Each structure stands twice: as C-alpha cells, then as structure tokens.
C-alpha cells in the first residue's frame, strides 16, 4: 500500500467496506450479476460481496481512491433509482434520502469524529450529508458502522472526505472484521427442544440447548409449549437426528407417534397481512411447507382492522409457523425503513 497522499489521495489503494441488507445487495448484483459487472468495469474498482445466506452482507470495494469514488457514485445512484421506483408504487410524497453504511475500524472512528465532534460536524456542513458513527462496535468485531445519508452527490463528497481521514490516520492495532451471521441460525423452541432451521427442515440444536431453553422460558412471546398442551410434555423429546426432526415436523410418513394436534390463533393488522400471504400466496405456502402446520387466514370483516390467523398442528409445527410468521412481520417492519 502506498502511503503517499497526493491531491485527495488519488494514487493510493484503499479498501472500503459497506454493510448492506439482502435487498440492497440484490439491487447491486442485478440480473445474472450484470449490474455489479458493469460497476466493476466502469469504475475500475474491485467489488466483492460476502457469501452466505445472511440478512446482511459485506460489500468490499478496493482500488485507487478515484476508482472507489466512481464505484460509490454508481452504488449511490443505483439506490436512488430504487427509491424512485419504489415510490411510484407508494403514496409517500417526500423522497427518502439514499443511505449507505460503511464499516470502519473503531480505532479510526475517533479521527472521523474529531475533537469534540468537530470533524464530523465539518463533514455534515460541507457536504450536506447526514453522518452518524455508531456508539457500539458491531458484534464480535472491532469495527463500527458509519451511516451516511443524503443525496447521491452529498454522499460521494462525504465518502471522499472519509477516505482522506482514513488515509491520514490508519487503523491502530489489529482489526477484527465484522462478519454478518448467517440467516440459517434462528433458533426456535418446541417441547423443550431447540431447533435451527436449515432449508426445509428444523434440525435439533444440541450445544446451546439448556441455555437457550432457559432463555426461551423467560422470553417466549407465547407460553412454553410443554405447558399449553399437557399431552406434549416438554422433557420427553430427546431428538438426535434430522430424520427424527423431520418426523416431528410432519415431513415424513411414519407419524404414528406424533403428538396430538392443537390450535393457536393470532391476530394480524390488515396492512401487514400481505407480507405474510405474499404474491399469489407464495409466502404463506412456504410457511405451511416449512412448518408442516395448517394455516387458515380469515376473510377481512367489515369495520375490523385485523385479520385472524388459525394455526393447527403439533405444538412443534405451531411453534415453527409462529416463528416464521413473526420473522416475516419483523422483516417487513424493519425493511420498510431501508426502502
């Protein structure tokens, strides 16, 4: 790495890391990878996207600073395009700003903020972008998120200033990079057993079981299953193989030993029911398939702002279906902020 900083540091190779939601990554990659290929070719920067089925991904941009600025400009304009196209389908009238999240070693954040916040204030004033440095480090790392939002031009100006600061004060000590956790590790609880979802099946989750089970007893949004259904005692389910887990989840034929079916009802606000049903019922069918539960959604009743959902199946099926429905709601509510 060259240390000589010429005019704006244009001959220095730099690496900038961005944290993006899955939806944003999809937009950057484009159909068959065409968008990212075009960005690489036109900017001259190396753009790598972290692997993995994660709700968040890391996009790494490396190259001379002028190539990085070009890549950033293309990303910022692409996000603005996405915002405009999403607004054509929504009643919102004011255009939300473009937002990018950089991942920066915590040891460099002090320089970005400046004494008494002077540097970050100067950046906000001279570029017109909003800049915020997260107070806490990202999980299991020594990096912090730096959020920049504004018009694409303001963001590009701001990134230029951040690059200069990062070149002038390199990170101190070793940096532990942030690695987003895969999405395949949500843990659900059924009958005293913890499961992680892998593909179509729920696989028993052995190692953290006791700890997770204790947590579940304190925090589950619905009562622990062993208590709601006396015919399904919580402690009698030592499952050891994915085959048995499939069996329990109603995925394979030998179901003689299945616990008796029970029913659970949920009410969901009308304006959120769409995200659970999905286009032509795709999402609800996916939830039915993965959970093995029967799920009925009542028709809208006049004057009511909520819809009733009835889930029928073994307590394990119901737990899994509830988890998947909650996950859809959470992603819808939090996703709306992002786009």
């Amino acid at each position: 790495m060259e240390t000589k900083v010429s005019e704006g540091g244009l001959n220095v190779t730099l690496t900038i890391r961005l944290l993006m939601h899955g939806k944003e990554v999809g937009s950057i990659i484009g159909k068959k990878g065409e968008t990212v290929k075009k960005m690489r070719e036109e900017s001259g920067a190396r753009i790598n996207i972290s692997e993995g089925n994660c709700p968040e991904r890391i996009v790494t941009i490396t190259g001379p600073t002028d190539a990085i600025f070009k890549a950033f400009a293309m990303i910022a304009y692409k996000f603005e395009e996405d915002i405009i196209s999403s607004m054509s389908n929504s009643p919102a009238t004011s255009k939300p700003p473009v937002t990018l999240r950089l991942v920066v070693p915590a040891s460099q954040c002090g320089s970005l903020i400046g004494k008494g916040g002077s540097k970050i204030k100067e950046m906000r004033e001279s570029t017109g972008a909003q800049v915020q440095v997260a107070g806490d480090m990202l999980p299991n790392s020594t990096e912090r998120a730096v959020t920049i939002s504004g018009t694409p031009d303001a963001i590009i100006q701001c990134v230029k200033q951040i690059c200069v600061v990062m070149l002038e004060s390199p990170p101190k000590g070793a940096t532990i990079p942030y690695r987003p956790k895969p999405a395949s590790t949500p843990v659900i609880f059924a009958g005293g057993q913890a499961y992680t979802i892998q593909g179509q099946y729920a696989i028993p989750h052995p190692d953290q079981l006791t700890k997770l089970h204790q947590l579940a007893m304190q925090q589950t949004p619905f009562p622990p299953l062993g208590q709601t259904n006396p015919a399904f005692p919580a402690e009698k389910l030592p499952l050891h193989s994915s085959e048995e887990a499939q069996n329990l989840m109603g995925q394979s034929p030998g179901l003689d030993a299945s616990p008796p079916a029970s029913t659970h009802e949920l009410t969901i606000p009308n304006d959120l029911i769409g995200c659970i049903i999905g286009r032509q019922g795709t999402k609800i069918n996916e939830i039915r398939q993965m959970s093995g539960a029967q799920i009925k959604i009542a028709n809208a009743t006049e004057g009511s702002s909520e819809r009733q959902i009835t889930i029928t199946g073994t307590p394990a099926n119901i737990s899994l279906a509830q988890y998947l429905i909650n996950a859809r709601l959470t992603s819808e509510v939090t996703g709306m902020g992002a786009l």
Side-chain angles (χ1 to χ4, degrees):
M1 166 149 174
E2 294 181 57
T3 49
K4 184 166 153 275
V5 179
S6 65
E7 180 62 64
L10 291 183
N11 65 348
V12 183
T13 299
L14 193 59
T15 296
I16 301 275
R17 285 153 51 81
L18 282 167
L19 187 55
M20 291 192 191
H21 294 299
K23 201 172 177 183
E24 297 169 322
V25 171
S27 164
I28 294 302
I29 295 173
K31 276 197 182 127
K32 296 183 183 169
E34 281 167 17
T35 310
V36 74
K37 184 170 172 248
K38 187 177 166 206
M39 285 181 177
R40 286 178 181 134
E41 284 168 2
E42 290 188 17
S43 68
R46 286 207 303 279
I47 303 174
N48 290 328
I49 296 164
S50 68
E51 284 301 313
N53 172 25
C54 299
E56 292 184 317
R57 308 269 285 277
I58 296 280
V59 177
T60 308
I61 305 174
T62 306
T65 42
D66 53 348
I68 286 180
F69 301 151
K70 278 184 199 153
F72 257 95
M74 293 176 81
I75 291 172
Y77 282 115
K78 179 73 182 85
F79 282 177
E80 184 172 60
E81 221 175 273
D82 295 342
I83 289 172
I84 291 167
S85 66
S86 73
M87 282 183 66
S88 61
N89 312 326
S90 89
T93 46
S94 61
K95 191 171 73 168
V98 173
T99 299
L100 293 180
R101 289 181 299 164
L102 306 188
V103 182
V104 176
S107 60
Q108 289 178 294
C109 287
S111 310
L112 280 181
I113 295 166
K115 212 172 185 179
S118 56
K119 188 70 198 165
I120 200 164
K121 184 166 178 266
E122 180 194 310
M123 279 189 211
R124 287 177 186 143
E125 286 170 0
S126 64
T127 65
Q130 271 302 315
V131 192
Q132 277 163 331
V133 178
D136 297 325
M137 292 190 207
L138 289 157
N140 308 320
S141 78
T142 57
E143 294 191 302
R144 292 194 200 179
V146 176
T147 307
I148 313 172
S149 54
T151 63
D153 291 339
I155 287 175
I156 298 154
Q157 290 311 314
C158 192
V159 168
K160 285 186 178 177
Q161 295 197 20
I162 287 174
C163 286
V164 172
V165 173
M166 288 171 79
L167 288 166
E168 286 170 354
S169 42
K172 298 168 196 71
T175 298
I176 302 167
Y178 172 58
R179 289 193 172 84
K181 282 262 187 293
S184 60
T185 54
V187 176
I188 50 164
F189 303 93
Q193 174 64 287
Y195 300 90
T196 54
I197 295 173
Q198 293 178 4
Q200 290 286 309
Y201 303 117
I203 309 296
H205 192 290
D207 46 351
Q208 300 163 310
L209 179 58
T210 41
K211 188 171 138 209
L212 288 168
H213 191 206
Q214 286 160 0
L215 272 177
M217 291 304 171
Q218 296 157 15
Q219 296 176 348
T220 39
F222 33 93
L225 290 161
Q227 294 167 21
T228 51
N229 189 337
F232 190 71
E235 282 11 271
K236 290 191 185 163
L237 269 179
L239 289 179
H240 300 295
S241 70
S242 56
E243 198 178 318
E244 287 178 66
Q246 293 167 29
N247 212 353
L248 177 74
M249 290 315 186
Q251 297 284 358
S252 67
L255 279 180
D256 306 339
S258 69
S262 52
T263 299
H264 187 88
E265 293 192 338
L266 293 171
T267 46
I268 304 282
N270 274 340
D271 52 354
L272 288 176
I273 200 82
C275 78
I276 290 167
I277 297 172
R279 272 205 185 136
Q280 298 172 327
T282 47
K283 288 293 168 207
I284 194 76
N285 285 339
E286 208 174 274
I287 294 173
R288 284 182 181 125
Q289 247 184 336
M290 276 184 82
S291 66
Q294 291 177 343
I295 304 170
K296 291 196 177 78
I297 298 177
N299 292 332
T301 48
E302 254 184 79
S304 165
S305 63
E306 295 184 321
R307 299 273 282 276
Q308 192 83 22
I309 295 184
T310 308
I311 308 170
T312 310
T314 65
N317 298 147
I318 290 173
S319 175
L320 186 44
Q322 275 186 301
Y323 171 81
L324 294 166
I325 286 170
N326 284 334
R328 284 291 308 150
L329 289 173
T330 310
S331 72
E332 179 70 9
V333 173
T334 53
M336 284 166 100
L339 248 190

